[in-house]
Amino acid sequence: MSVGAPLAHDSAAGHVLGSARYIDDLPTPAGTLHLAFGLSSIAHGTITRMDLSAVRAAPGVVAVLVATDLPYANDVAAAAADEPLLATGVVHYLGQPVFLVVADSHLAARRAARLGQIDYVELPAILTIDQALAAGSRYEGGPVVWANGDAGAAIAGAAHLVEGVFETGAQEHFYLEGQVALALPAEAGMVVQSSSQHPSEIQHKVAAALGYPFHAVRVEVRRMGGGFGGKESQGNALAVACAVGAKASGRACKMRYDRDDDMTITGKRHDFRIRYRAGFDAHGRILGVDFVHMVRCGWSQDLSLPVADRAMLHADNAYFIPAMRIESHRLRTHTQSATAFRGFGGPQGMAGIERVMEHAAHLLGIDALELRRRNFYTEAGGPSAPPHPPEDISLKQCTHYGQPVVDFELGALVDEIEKSADFEARRQEIAVWNSSNRTLKRGIALTPVKFGISFTLTHLNQAGALVQVYADGSVGLSHGGTEMGQGLHRKIGQVAAAAFGIDIEAVRVEATDTSKVPNTSATAASSGADLNGMAVKLACDTIRERIAAHIALVAGVGPPEVHFEGGQVFAGERAFSFAEAVASAYLARISLSATGFYATPELEWDRKAGRGRPFYYFAYGAAVSEVVIDTLSGENRILRADILHDVGASLNPAIDIGQIEGGYVQGAGWLTTEELVWNDAGRLLTHAPSTYKIPAASDRPRLFNVALWPGGNREATIHRSKAVGEPPLMLALSVHQALGAACAACGPNWPGLAAPATPEAVLAAVMRARGA
Amino acid sequence: MQITFLLNGETTQYSLSDASVTLLDWLREYRGLTGSKEACREGDCGACTVMLSDATGSRAINACITLMAQLHGKALRTVEGIGNSAAPHPVQQALIDQHGSQCGFCTPGIAVALAAAHLNGEHDHDAALAGNLCRCTGYAPIIRAAESAAAQPVPDCMHEDAKALAATALAQISSGGCGGADSPPAYLPENADDLAAWLLAQPSSTLVAGGTDLGLAVTKALKPLGEAVFLHRCADLQQVTTSADEIRIGAGVSIAQLLRAMAKPHPAFAALLKRFASPQIRAMATLGGNIANGSPIADAPPVLIALGARVHLRRGDVRRQVALEDFYLGYRKQDRTPGEFIEAVTIAARAPNLRAYKLSKRFDQDISTLCAAFNLSAKAGRISEARVAFGGMAAVPARARKLEAALIGQPLDDIAEGAVSLSLGEDFAPISDFRGSAAYRMQAAENLIIRYARDLAGEAVSVLEVAS
């Protein structure tokens, strides 16, 4: 059975040989034109004059477009229609596209795009959280407030008060393949190749820009060279620009951002300032928390509201908090529009409560792991416990938004990793080591993850599939998910192969195509395999039942006696190869294609009130990280990581472990070396890998032990698996906490290590710990 | 000018009409070899990694900032040339077996970088991959693949270039000089005399050594190269010679070659050079380029200054020398007249107390926030001579002369705990930028003096020395 097998990525051979094609690798028709944007050079201002004559006169330039040249919609926004393709009179951030160059080569377009002369009257630029708060520059009018119980009273009555501020930095996706699109004019329509996690949104935006109904635009996504959320909405501009250019010229148009342009134009992970006030009793039990989230959203709304919501939804992480108040300020700034990034606010929300735990442990003098345990949600009690609690569920199972936590397993999972990572002995050994090393200090920490699975915009939790069995027994299938490296197509192929009892090689997963499966949701929220896998299985089941009914007739048995296994169809005494059975069904005029459709059950969510069941289930994991710091320079390394993570019954353990390792390292980058810096004029100074440092090979933990938690999902997900895309990123909070522990080993005071923990931040924390 | 080289084993000629064309653009747009990817176009991610071979060996380089003229007389192998679906290279097969690719965009570059290291028998896989970024895997499966491929034999195709180069005498083929339709002219001198004569006549020419920084002027600033002189054929500039007192390093010596040459005489210098950019950059970048580029945060100059480096300049047949610290006149300003070029650098042959420390946000392939080099000599336990140089603390790499003066006469084994003020406040007033604040630079720089003392005393001072 292919489900559960550690099969290689379906494009692995193409990847290593260099033959897997990305959009910029596709052969293009003769006469293909190339596009580049001319960008705003200031953060906020009114355009008073645009002299584009030098742009038009530059070698190779075919056309130059400004907002008024656009024939239909000038809108590439994901949500609120507040994001024009080309600026309309006012620019809102440094790097905003103002005009579009169409030229006969990529380099000609890039060169010409720098020749625009634009005069502005500068307006005050709101760049920081403080400036936005002072100016009242925000989305949704005012803060979103969720309250559960009376947090103020709980904190006031508590034995211990823990308060502070923690800021989490922005993060650039740094997908290796930059944003790119290619539009090919078709008869009364447009075909678009886009490096996008959301082909349906590309379709909708292109259609609106061309004055077409959706059916006239076909969007195809074979693969992306990485996405991480950065291609959920940020590819819209390129696809629309190419489509507009292609319709106007009748020629194919391609656009790809140079890396510096990519980082200057596109959105990043939201940076947060989290203010916390928490009350603990004498035993370290949390009584109430008051969080204020200040979220820098950038110049357009994009996906900021659901991102900020998800941060609020993860403000509890693994802990039962009897009273909680969260105030979430969604601030509008004249910077890149912050967007989706793996975890989608979850990491920031979780960072807040884990900081509270770290700080409380320091203040109360209780071991941080012990403190965490004392506050865990009630354990669900093994995988055989009933999936739903009885009516009188204890309060200790309910989140601050009213969803009972019925599958909690971190008690057992943390016990297990504590043992397998030899946590206690290592902690003691490290304490001894630290006492005899004055220059270098080591630290170790264990942090848990509980991450909610489902889109919080409930209607997005749907997926479609189209499965086609050809007369030779080969299977081609399409589904709504996109492949960005996460191995989704391989997992889906395994689901289909299992449904028909055939070898994985007999199944081909086609490029994602809006003309095959319509109205798809973004491949996001870790939902790809959950939603599309189920839709594909349902389509396969339909076809299999048709074949089974036919073969039952042929063999003279009842349909239940027909089964599919090992590439064969068994019916009573008889056996057919799958191909024979299919050929026979074809001759009997039986339909061998089917659609499948799946909608996640049982979701109910009122985002205004912050109440309901936004998540179908939770994914869990825990990590132990060990680090070393240099107390003279702040330099630091991860020495070892141990991870135990729950992916339910894995569809493909190799791919799942890959997601866990990769997510952890990406999260570690966010919290250590990756620092985005803007200057006072709103210019992003770190706009290339020379200045923005994602982890390199030697930054990974030297010892890196990853294991999967046994058992299946309690909920009826695809083969009882669990989503894996985002949750492991947050395992890296253990890296930051281990660094904090190493800093704390330098002196008696609370080090309050900042994020990202650059050498500079670590050195500052060391000096705070010492009281210097 | 006609550029002749081997491309995946095939003799290839390229008529150089525009010296600014990059190898990556040529491969992808003119040859349809799209396996090599563009992800940064500045030599920082490795997605475009290809393998370049000549008589001195084979090495991974970045195609995105390599200019076509730099290929003349050499052999190039792209990802398409190291294996195919019928016979993948062992590292390619291992990457499949160990799940070493996810999105796959960095993978061809990683495969070539690992194949080059595999060919050269290098087993430090982290070092081999220091110039290749992957955003998906967290590197663990890639390293597992490298480990599992290590014992596999090198496939024949990887040896073909060396054989073909020897058989065809490709390296001797003339590029046809600078004449012809070239506009503006490009020139490939064969030795330092050629170069000196050319520069005397054309003093405004751009000198292209490794091109690892200059390439960015082409790919990022989009500036045409103009009149260009490519230095890679000047074998007489690529020599390292050692006498009793000094080591003479030709300006054209690559950082990779320098790293090997420094391993014995100056292991602290070699250790620093291991963190100089990436293998791909070190293979192309030259010591002369690192000096003449004039960056205040260049990695080599602080160590060179600590080693008493003298720069040997030449204009026509006139030669002079200047101490490296005096060569730097101000931010990106040097004591070098038009038509003059760096021929060599000489440094002390012995410096047992030399230590060099580079601080950056990331260990590999990063630019210094600051860099410090210490070279103290002692007589009877007291410091008799002090050369302490910093990068990143001023507009130029510079000596900390006040500190040096304060150290003279102090006990060597007690400088951190001794009576001397370790303040650098009189020597430097660093700036704040995105790499670090002025306060951090100052604090960390002063702390590095303490590190030096503890290092000399044999205490563990580097996080790289610690294992779990």
Side-chain angles (χ1 to χ4, degrees):
Chain A
M1 170 125 165
S2 61
V3 163
L7 304 178
H9 192 285
D10 66 335
S11 294
H15 291 159
V16 303
L17 295 167
S19 59
R21 278 179 170 163
Y22 303 78
I23 290 170
D24 196 40
D25 303 336
L26 298 173
T28 49
T32 295
L33 298 171
H34 300 262
L35 276 50
F37 284 127
L39 307 179
S40 160
S41 59
I42 64 166
H44 190 205
T46 306
I47 298 172
T48 54
R49 193 181 71 98
M50 261 199 276
D51 177 0
L52 303 179
S53 54
V55 186
R56 291 181 209 280
V61 171
V62 173
V64 181
L65 279 70
V66 296
T68 49
D69 297 323
L70 300 173
Y72 295 95
N74 178 15
D75 168 40
V76 293
D82 60 349
E83 197 169 326
L85 172 70
L86 299 173
T88 54
V90 180
V91 294
H92 298 279
Y93 76 105
L94 198 158
Q96 183 177 353
V98 177
F99 62 91
L100 175 65
V101 182
V102 183
D104 60 11
S105 79
H106 173 70
L107 274 177
R110 277 182 68 204
R111 285 198 186 100
R114 298 187 183 188
L115 301 176
Q117 298 290 325
I118 304 173
D119 295 339
Y120 306 91
V121 172
E122 288 206 42
L123 298 168
I126 295 164
L127 303 173
T128 64
I129 284 169
D130 289 322
Q131 288 167 350
L133 284 170
S137 177
R138 54 174 77 244
Y139 297 98
E140 295 191 292
V144 172
V145 180
W146 296 349
N148 186 44
D150 187 344
I155 296 164
H160 300 282
L161 171 67
V162 179
E163 59 182 337
V165 175
F166 187 49
E167 298 192 347
T168 62
Q171 185 180 25
E172 161 65 31
H173 304 83
F174 210 84
Y175 27 67
L176 263 283
E177 179 209 34
Q179 304 281 348
V180 56
L182 169 66
L184 302 144
E187 278 184 38
M190 192 63 65
V191 177
V192 180
Q193 296 277 349
S194 172
S195 183
S196 170
Q197 294 172 237
H198 201 348
S200 283
E201 186 169 288
I202 298 282
Q203 177 194 36
H204 302 167
K205 293 295 164 187
V206 167
L210 301 183
Y212 286 155
F214 292 172
H215 73 217
V217 179
R218 185 167 84 73
V219 179
E220 184 178 296
V221 179
R222 171 73 265 181
R223 61 172 61 80
M224 283 163 269
F228 316 114
K231 293 176 179 171
E232 185 165 345
S233 62
Q234 304 298 296
N236 293 357
L238 301 89
V240 168
C242 287
V244 168
K247 192 183 180 196
S249 66
R251 292 156 74 174
C253 284
K254 183 159 86 171
M255 184 177 210
R256 66 179 167 90
Y257 289 159
D258 177 70
R259 178 63 61 180
D260 297 68
D261 283 351
D262 198 315
M263 290 184 69
T264 300
I265 297 170
T266 65
K268 289 110 189 44
R269 184 188 295 285
H270 293 70
D271 45 320
F272 273 54
R273 179 186 297 165
I274 300 169
R275 191 178 298 147
Y276 56 88
R277 292 184 76 246
F280 283 78
D281 71 13
H283 306 288
R285 276 187 298 260
I286 195 163
L287 303 175
V289 188
D290 187 341
F291 279 120
V292 180
H293 288 176
M294 282 162 280
V295 189
R296 208 166 62 113
C297 299
W299 73 284
S300 73
Q301 186 178 301
D302 190 70
L303 303 165
S304 292
L305 309 189
V307 166
D309 288 354
R310 188 169 277 268
M312 297 170 83
L313 287 164
H314 288 80
D316 59 336
N317 193 18
Y319 313 109
F320 172 68
I321 300 169
M324 174 130 72
R325 182 178 184 280
I326 316 177
E327 193 178 292
S328 171
H329 299 258
R330 292 92 194 263
L331 302 170
R332 186 174 192 276
T333 52
H334 295 109
T335 47
Q336 292 81 356
S337 185
T339 191
F341 195 144
R342 199 176 198 173
F344 205 72
Q348 296 95 320
M350 223 177 266
I353 191 66
E354 290 303 336
R355 177 64 155 215
V356 169
M357 291 296 165
E358 181 190 18
H359 197 169
H362 191 272
L363 215 68
L364 275 62
I366 300 175
D367 169 62
L369 176 56
E370 178 54 31
L371 185 86
R372 288 186 163 94
R373 278 201 172 106
R374 286 180 196 171
N375 288 287
F376 275 167
Y377 282 107
T378 302
E379 196 80 350
S384 56
H388 298 286
E391 288 302 305
D392 64 335
I393 57 163
S394 108
L395 275 176
K396 234 195 133 167
Q397 278 177 279
C398 218
T399 63
H400 55 292
Y401 46 88
Q403 173 162 353
V405 180
V406 298
D407 53 7
F408 197 78
E409 61 194 16
L410 282 170
L413 192 150
V414 165
D415 286 350
E416 176 58 32
I417 194 170
E418 185 188 16
K419 256 186 285 167
S420 64
D422 202 14
F423 181 78
E424 189 49 40
R426 284 167 62 203
R427 210 176 50 133
Q428 289 175 25
E429 182 271 324
I430 287 168
V432 171
W433 191 90
N434 283 344
S435 66
S436 59
N437 281 274
R438 56 176 176 173
T439 307
L440 307 176
K441 300 285 181 190
R442 284 155 66 201
I444 189 168
L446 187 161
T447 59
V449 167
K450 163 183 138 287
F451 191 79
I453 301 299
S454 289
F455 284 102
T456 57
L457 195 52
T458 301
H459 80 257
L460 296 178
N461 295 291
Q462 58 171 310
L466 173 64
V467 177
Q468 324 204 115
V469 179
Y470 293 93
D472 66 349
S474 66
V475 175
L477 71 87
S478 295
H479 62 89
T482 55
E483 176 62 46
M484 63 193 96
Q486 81 280 43
L488 174 61
H489 285 349
R490 175 52 83 196
K491 284 185 171 179
I492 299 274
Q494 288 175 268
V495 167
F500 292 121
I502 57 177
D503 191 83
I504 189 73
E505 298 307 324
V507 179
R508 178 184 162 90
V509 181
E510 306 287 356
T512 312
D513 185 334
T514 55
S515 72
K516 296 276 181 64
V517 178
N519 311 321
T520 55
S521 297
T523 308
S526 306
S527 70
D530 274 15
L531 298 177
N532 296 289
M534 204 57 122
V536 165
K537 181 173 183 298
L538 292 167
C540 292
D541 288 349
T542 300
I543 298 170
R544 192 191 59 224
E545 279 160 26
R546 288 182 197 149
I547 298 170
H550 165 70
I551 293 296
L553 275 179
V554 171
V557 299
E561 290 165 71
V562 180
H563 67 279
F564 295 68
E565 199 185 323
Q568 294 203 290
V569 181
F570 299 94
E573 299 291 297
R574 297 185 60 181
F576 308 79
S577 73
F578 182 70
E580 284 167 356
V582 166
S584 170
Y586 165 72
L587 292 174
R589 298 189 293 174
I590 287 165
S591 168
L592 294 169
S593 76
T595 59
F597 181 81
Y598 175 72
T600 312
E602 297 181 57
L603 300 177
E604 194 187 330
W605 175 237
D606 178 345
R607 76 168 281 267
K608 275 268 178 294
R611 304 297 295 178
R613 180 182 179 181
F615 304 124
Y616 189 31
Y617 63 90
F618 294 99
Y620 297 95
V624 175
S625 293
E626 182 189 337
V627 303
V628 59
I629 65 167
D630 169 22
T631 61
L632 293 174
S633 68
E635 290 175 301
N636 56 83
R637 304 294 276 168
I638 305 174
L639 298 174
R640 173 175 168 178
D642 294 78
I643 294 172
L644 185 53
H645 195 81
D646 177 19
V647 299
S650 176
L651 292 172
N652 180 321
I655 284 173
D656 285 342
I657 286 172
Q659 288 297 298
I660 294 165
E661 290 170 335
Y664 173 89
V665 170
Q666 196 173 75
W670 171 50
L671 294 164
T672 57
T673 57
E674 296 184 36
E675 188 174 31
L676 285 163
V677 183
W678 285 263
N679 71 8
D680 293 343
R683 179 179 296 278
L684 178 65
L685 299 176
T686 49
H687 49 74
S690 50
T691 49
Y692 181 74
K693 312 313 282 189
I694 69 167
S698 69
D699 295 311
R700 81 189 188 292
R702 277 300 181 289
L703 281 169
F704 202 173
N705 303 314
V706 177
L708 302 179
W709 180 245
N713 197 337
R714 288 157 184 274
E715 303 294 346
T717 52
I718 182 71
H719 294 288
R720 301 274 171 186
S721 63
K722 282 192 176 184
V724 72
E726 293 164 293
L729 183 128
M730 285 147 275
L731 296 167
L733 289 166
S734 60
V735 175
H736 195 268
Q737 301 250 333
L739 289 167
C743 294
C746 297
N749 304 306
W750 164 237
L753 176 63
T758 58
E760 179 164 355
V762 169
L763 184 59
V766 166
M767 296 201 295
R768 274 193 296 274
R770 288 179 175 152
Chain B
M1 181 186 294
Q2 190 85 347
I3 302 299
T4 307
F5 61 101
L6 292 173
L7 172 60
N8 294 331
E10 234 178 84
T11 304
T12 304
Q13 298 213 308
Y14 173 77
S15 191
L16 190 77
S17 59
D18 177 358
S20 302
V21 173
T22 64
L23 171 57
L24 183 63
D25 284 350
W26 182 79
L27 286 172
R28 292 180 54 82
E29 290 173 22
Y30 300 98
R31 292 299 293 229
L33 291 173
T34 55
S36 308
K37 308 300 182 197
E38 178 185 314
C40 74
R41 209 173 170 85
E42 61 173 9
D44 264 288
C45 78
C48 65
T49 300
V50 293
M51 189 177 86
L52 191 68
S53 302
D54 58 21
T56 67
S58 299
R59 61 206 77 98
I61 65 165
N62 294 309
C64 69
I65 49 171
T66 298
L67 302 170
M68 291 303 289
Q70 294 179 281
L71 301 177
H72 184 61
K74 298 180 190 272
L76 182 77
R77 208 155 269 274
T78 67
V79 67
E80 291 89 351
I82 64 167
N84 55 51
S85 56
H89 189 285
V91 302
Q92 291 175 315
Q93 187 59 51
L95 283 165
I96 297 173
D97 296 342
Q98 300 294 328
H99 309 278
S101 74
Q102 285 183 23
C103 89
F105 204 80
C106 73
T107 313
I110 283 182
V112 175
L114 288 178
H118 183 256
L119 172 65
N120 292 329
E122 295 161 16
H123 295 297
D124 183 345
H125 308 302
D126 286 357
L129 289 176
N132 291 81
L133 297 177
C134 167
R135 191 54 152 166
C136 295
T137 64
Y139 303 98
I142 296 172
I143 299 297
R144 288 195 281 269
E147 285 166 352
S148 79
Q152 301 291 316
V154 174
D156 290 343
C157 70
M158 298 298 288
H159 293 301
E160 276 172 16
D161 290 341
K163 283 185 207 155
L165 283 172
T168 60
L170 198 69
Q172 271 72 58
I173 295 175
S174 166
S175 63
C178 61
D182 301 355
S183 172
Y187 185 53
L188 272 69
E190 297 290 328
N191 54 48
D193 291 343
D194 267 7
L195 170 62
W198 172 272
L199 278 183
L200 211 51
Q202 317 277 346
S204 62
S205 298
T206 303
L207 271 71
V208 185
T212 52
D213 194 52
L214 205 55
L216 274 66
V218 173
T219 62
K220 293 295 178 182
L222 303 180
K223 286 189 190 138
L225 207 51
E227 271 179 329
V229 191
F230 292 88
L231 306 182
H232 62 277
R233 306 210 12 120
C234 298
D236 54 349
L237 292 177
Q238 295 163 13
Q239 310 298 320
V240 179
T241 50
T242 304
S243 68
D245 295 335
E246 62 178 32
I247 304 172
R248 182 185 167 95
I249 305 157
V253 167
S254 73
I255 302 299
Q257 193 186 344
L258 182 64
L259 198 168
R260 291 191 293 273
M262 290 299 108
K264 278 227 172 67
H266 297 306
F269 193 9
L272 182 87
L273 292 173
K274 256 196 94 171
R275 288 180 56 199
F276 186 115
S278 64
Q280 289 92 326
I281 298 292
R282 292 195 297 268
M284 297 297 279
T286 65
L287 184 64
N290 195 237
I291 291 169
N293 173 286
S295 166
I297 43 179
D299 278 336
V303 192
L304 294 171
I305 291 172
L307 285 168
R310 300 189 68 76
V311 181
H312 297 251
L313 295 149
R314 175 174 176 185
R315 182 173 183 277
D317 288 326
V318 180
R319 291 180 165 90
R320 67 186 176 103
Q321 33 174 303
V322 56
L324 179 55
E325 58 265 41
D326 299 330
F327 179 70
Y328 294 116
L329 302 176
Y331 182 70
R332 300 258 175 186
K333 270 183 68 184
Q334 300 160 13
D335 178 9
R336 189 160 63 90
T337 56
E340 200 170 35
F341 66 97
I342 300 173
E343 209 167 23
V345 178
T346 47
I347 57 172
R350 280 179 41 79
N353 291 332
L354 177 75
R355 297 291 187 278
Y357 309 117
K358 169 177 175 170
L359 301 183
S360 52
K361 282 185 194 167
R362 189 174 70 195
F363 273 85
D364 282 321
Q365 173 82 326
D366 199 357
I367 295 165
S368 294
T369 306
L370 71 136
C371 183
F374 300 85
N375 183 12
L376 304 189
S377 312
K379 279 186 185 139
R382 298 218 168 241
I383 297 167
S384 56
E385 204 183 332
R387 295 185 72 89
V388 180
F390 284 86
M393 294 294 284
V396 294
R399 290 175 73 171
R401 297 207 185 251
K402 292 281 191 321
L403 175 74
E404 289 176 355
L407 287 171
I408 298 292
Q410 298 299 314
L412 177 63
D413 58 5
D414 202 23
I415 50 177
E417 269 60 51
V420 187
S421 155
L422 299 180
S423 166
L424 289 168
E426 287 185 57
D427 281 309
F428 298 116
I431 58 162
S432 291
D433 64 12
F434 58 82
R435 294 198 173 88
S437 70
Y440 172 71
R441 284 195 164 96
M442 189 53 93
Q443 179 73 59
E446 290 176 354
N447 284 356
L448 288 180
I449 307 167
I450 299 171
R451 178 194 282 192
Y452 176 66
R454 292 181 183 177
D455 192 355
L456 280 191
E459 195 175 322
V461 294
S462 167
V463 293
L464 299 174
E465 298 172 63
V466 181
S468 172

